[in-house]
């Protein structure tokens, strides 16, 4: 490559046929093969059909892993207050809560609701005096002028929650398969500052997260690999914790539980509380001394990742309750830097071996091909 580039000017490189022929001659490009089809089943909708954000997080940091897993739901109020979506010139954040900036947050959040779940008749959320339910437990608002408002598309209302005393505390909306929860508490510090009593708007955010054993971490020796595997195993069991000091107090972070709502029809709606987690193994060409052969040689690090991360994911397939990662009985492994069909074939053979955890009768492996072409 260096010799070729030294002999050719930038202008000459614009001749794609010549450049592609050179790459073919040195074996970098392969001729296109016959048509083929890839089929799969039991894929969670967060991977298969719902468009949403995906995070990447280093697998050696338990606190970061928990942050990513719990990023499934995020506070719109916090995002608006703490970022430059609302300019500091309009109202500074300050060292303590600024009520003036808080009111701008309400205005911007209600503008978002106008886009996500518009009210009927051209009404706007900033004209709402109170949120409620009608006699059939359907979404209803009282406007500033005393009139009753509803959603332009009533089907976007999918659930609610009430406190033990029957007070409405949450309304759940749905748009493009993503959910928005309007939280109501007029006794809270934020809710008491607005006529509607809304204290926050939670939005479904990061649908999935890649727990990275490769690019974002430096984990090659036995100690490093054990830390990565320990964290991934705890995530798959659902018991990962991280404690740290914040504001002079010790805070312990855990995986968020699933979220439960009542529906207008009287049933219960359960939504995932966490992002669907994938694990990214290393590529094909690295070796590690974390495991040695009988002759004392290092083993391919990708082989070790495939075996251990796959085995750890079996915890998720066996457990029940609301802490499951995959609701369809799948494990998700991202295999990066597949430089050509031979490396893809080698990876398919690795994951298809009967001794691999993927061969478990309850496992439906879905290695996520992350093709890297230099």
């Amino acid at each position: 490559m260096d010799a070729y580039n030294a002999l050719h000017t930038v202008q000459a490189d614009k001749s794609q046929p010549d450049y592609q022929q050179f790459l073919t001659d040195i074996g970098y490009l392969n001729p296109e093969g016959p048509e083929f089809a890839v089929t799969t089943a039991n894929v969670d909708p967060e991977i298969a059909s719902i468009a949403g954000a995906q995070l990447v997080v280093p697998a050696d940091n338990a606190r970061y892993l928990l942050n990513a897993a719990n990023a499934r739901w995020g506070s719109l109020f916090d995002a608006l207050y703490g970022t430059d979506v609302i300019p500091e010139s309009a109202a500074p954040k300050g060292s303590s809560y600024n009520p003036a900036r808080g009111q701008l947050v309400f205005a911007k959040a209600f503008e978002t609701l106008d886009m996500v779940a518009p009210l009927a008749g051209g009404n706007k959320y900033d004209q709402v005096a109170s949120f409620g339910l009608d006699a059939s437990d359907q979404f209803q608002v009282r406007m500033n002028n005393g009139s009753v408002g509803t959603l332009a598309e009533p089907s976007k209302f999918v659930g609610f929650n009430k406190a033990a005393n029957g007070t409405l505390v949450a309304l759940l909306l749905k748009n493009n398969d993503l959910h928005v929860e309007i939280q109501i508490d007029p006794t809270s510090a934020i809710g008491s500052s607005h006529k509607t009593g809304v204290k926050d708007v939670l939005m479904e955010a990061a649908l999935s997260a890649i727990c990275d054993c490769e690019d974002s971490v430096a984990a090659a020796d036995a100690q490093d690999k054990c830390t990565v595997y320990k964290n991934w195993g705890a995530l798959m069991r659902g018991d990962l914790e991280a404690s740290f000091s914040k504001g002079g107090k010790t805070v312990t972070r855990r995986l968020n539980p699933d979220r439960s709502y009542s529906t207008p029809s009287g049933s219960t709606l359960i939504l995932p509380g966490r992002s669907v987690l994938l694990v990214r193994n290393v590529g094909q060409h690295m070796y590690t001394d974390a495991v040695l052969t009988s002759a004392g040689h290092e083993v391919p690090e990708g082989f070790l990742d495939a075996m251990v991360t796959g085995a750890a994911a079996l915890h998720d397939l066996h457990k029940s309750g609301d802490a499951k990662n995959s609701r369809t009985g799948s494990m998700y492994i991202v295999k990066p830097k597949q430089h050509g069909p031979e490396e893809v074939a080698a990876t398919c053979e690795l994951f298809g071996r009967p001794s691999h955890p993927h061969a478990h009768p309850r496992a439906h492996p879905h290695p996520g091909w992350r093709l890297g072409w230099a």
Side-chain angles (χ1 to χ4, degrees):
M1 293 291 292
D2 289 343
Y4 178 91
N5 290 328
L7 292 173
H8 294 78
T9 65
V10 174
Q11 189 67 28
D13 277 346
K14 291 182 179 179
S15 174
Q16 283 296 305
D18 291 346
Y19 189 52
Q20 290 180 14
Q21 185 59 53
F22 164 70
L23 295 177
T24 300
D25 292 342
I26 65 173
Y28 189 80
L29 291 182
N30 290 292
E32 185 174 344
E35 293 186 2
F36 64 94
V38 176
T39 59
T40 189
N42 305 305
V43 182
D44 290 271
E46 293 89 340
I47 305 296
S49 59
I50 305 176
Q54 182 178 82
L55 306 180
V56 177
V57 56
D60 63 345
N61 189 306
R63 180 179 174 184
Y64 292 174
L65 286 167
L66 288 165
N67 288 347
N70 291 337
R72 178 67 177 251
W73 294 84
S75 166
L76 179 59
F77 278 20
D78 285 351
L80 294 173
Y81 190 95
T83 66
D84 62 0
V85 173
I86 297 175
E88 291 266 3
S89 58
K93 287 178 283 189
S95 58
S96 60
Y97 180 70
N98 180 352
R101 187 173 181 85
Q103 293 305 306
L104 295 177
V105 167
F106 277 108
K108 183 65 72 172
F110 287 166
E111 287 178 12
T112 302
L113 292 176
D114 285 333
M115 293 185 288
V116 170
L119 298 175
N123 285 326
K124 300 295 183 182
Y125 281 90
D126 65 0
Q127 301 165 357
V128 172
S130 63
F131 290 88
L133 299 172
D134 65 14
S136 300
D137 285 335
Q138 293 291 337
F139 181 96
Q140 179 177 279
V141 293
R142 181 73 62 177
M143 308 305 296
N144 288 336
N145 61 10
S147 64
V148 172
T150 59
L151 292 173
E153 297 179 59
S155 61
K156 289 193 172 186
F157 176 60
V158 294
F160 61 91
N161 276 327
K162 292 182 178 180
N165 63 3
T167 302
L168 182 67
V169 295
L171 294 165
L172 185 68
L173 306 173
K174 182 178 180 180
N175 183 54
N176 293 330
D177 289 323
L178 298 173
H179 295 86
V180 178
E181 179 184 321
I182 302 173
Q183 297 188 330
I184 303 168
D185 183 0
T187 66
S188 66
I190 303 302
S192 63
S193 69
H194 196 271
K195 60 187 177 181
T196 60
V198 171
K199 73 170 184 178
D200 205 348
V201 175
L202 293 186
M203 303 193 75
E204 211 170 359
L207 298 187
S208 61
I210 296 175
C211 304
D212 192 12
C213 302
E214 195 217 19
D215 283 346
S216 66
V217 295
D221 61 23
Q223 183 175 356
D224 294 337
K225 299 300 289 187
C226 285
T227 297
V228 166
Y229 296 152
K230 178 182 177 182
N231 287 341
W232 175 247
L235 283 172
M236 293 297 95
R237 292 193 307 271
D239 58 11
L240 182 65
E241 294 184 357
S243 297
F244 54 95
S245 179
K246 184 176 182 179
K249 298 180 180 180
T250 298
V251 178
T252 299
R253 192 157 290 165
R254 301 177 178 86
L255 290 168
N256 286 340
D258 287 344
R259 307 182 71 83
S260 177
Y261 304 89
S262 299
T263 70
S265 64
S267 62
T268 299
L269 173 65
I270 304 295
L271 294 180
R274 302 156 308 284
S275 305
V276 173
L277 302 177
L278 307 86
V279 61
R280 177 157 64 186
N281 290 183
V282 301
Q284 301 279 27
H285 303 291
M286 286 75 73
Y287 282 74
T288 178
D289 63 359
V291 173
L292 301 177
T293 68
S294 58
H297 300 306
E298 296 180 350
V299 301
E301 190 176 353
F303 288 14
L304 183 62
D305 275 1
M307 177 58 70
V308 179
T309 60
L314 292 177
H315 285 296
D316 185 62
L317 302 187
H318 283 294
K319 73 188 179 195
S320 59
D322 70 353
K324 289 184 70 64
N325 181 53
S326 171
R327 285 163 170 74
T328 61
S330 294
M331 59 177 73
Y332 299 103
I333 296 179
V334 178
K335 188 67 178 178
K337 299 180 175 64
Q338 303 291 280
H339 297 91
E342 291 182 350
E343 293 194 7
V344 173
T347 297
C348 289
E349 180 181 354
L350 172 64
F351 283 93
R353 289 289 181 95
S355 60
H356 192 272
H358 289 158
H360 187 276
R362 291 186 61 187
H364 305 285
H366 299 291
W369 306 125
R370 184 62 60 87
L371 302 179
W373 302 93

